[in-house]
Amino acid sequence: MKINVKIDQAALRREIQAGVDRVAREQTRDLDRLRQQYTGHPVAEIKPALQRLFARYDGKVTDPELSEWAQLISDGTRIEMKPGRIR
């Protein structure tokens, strides 16, 4: 038995892009919460919270990157996730 399936590639890309955009907004929102909670706190205190955030999104981060992001949060700098475009 042979089944032919036609996929609307443009519609599929739009759906995937919408999902990527949603995750970026959620991550930015979560980073905003960390910034509000931890501005002015030591990097060593922020790193575990930031690591938990990355783990929740199944993300991997190196210690130098973790330290850099924690310093930005400590300084009160807003970190915004910007999604790439699906082609």
Side-chain angles (χ1 to χ4, degrees):
M1 174 179 205
K2 185 176 180 181
I3 299 174
N4 289 323
V5 177
K6 293 188 179 191
I7 298 174
D8 182 341
Q9 295 289 327
L12 180 59
R13 275 193 296 278
R14 284 191 301 272
E15 287 298 316
I16 292 169
Q17 187 66 58
V20 169
D21 293 346
R22 179 185 48 77
V23 169
R25 283 191 308 273
E26 289 172 3
Q27 290 174 336
T28 298
R29 182 198 65 224
D30 291 341
L31 287 165
D32 281 342
R33 287 183 184 141
L34 284 181
R35 179 177 49 88
Q36 291 167 1
Q37 182 177 356
Y38 287 103
T39 294
H41 289 244
V43 167
E45 184 181 333
I46 300 167
K47 285 172 67 173
L50 192 54
Q51 183 66 53
R52 285 189 299 275
L53 176 63
F54 273 94
R56 198 167 79 225
Y57 287 101
D58 293 327
K60 305 265 187 281
V61 62
T62 65
D63 191 70
E65 291 169 322
L66 195 61
S67 295
E68 180 182 347
W69 285 45
Q71 184 63 60
L72 290 169
I73 290 168
S74 177
D75 294 342
T77 302
R78 184 168 194 261
I79 301 170
E80 181 177 358
M81 302 303 280
K82 294 190 178 191
R85 293 288 152 218
I86 305 299
R87 299 175 199 257

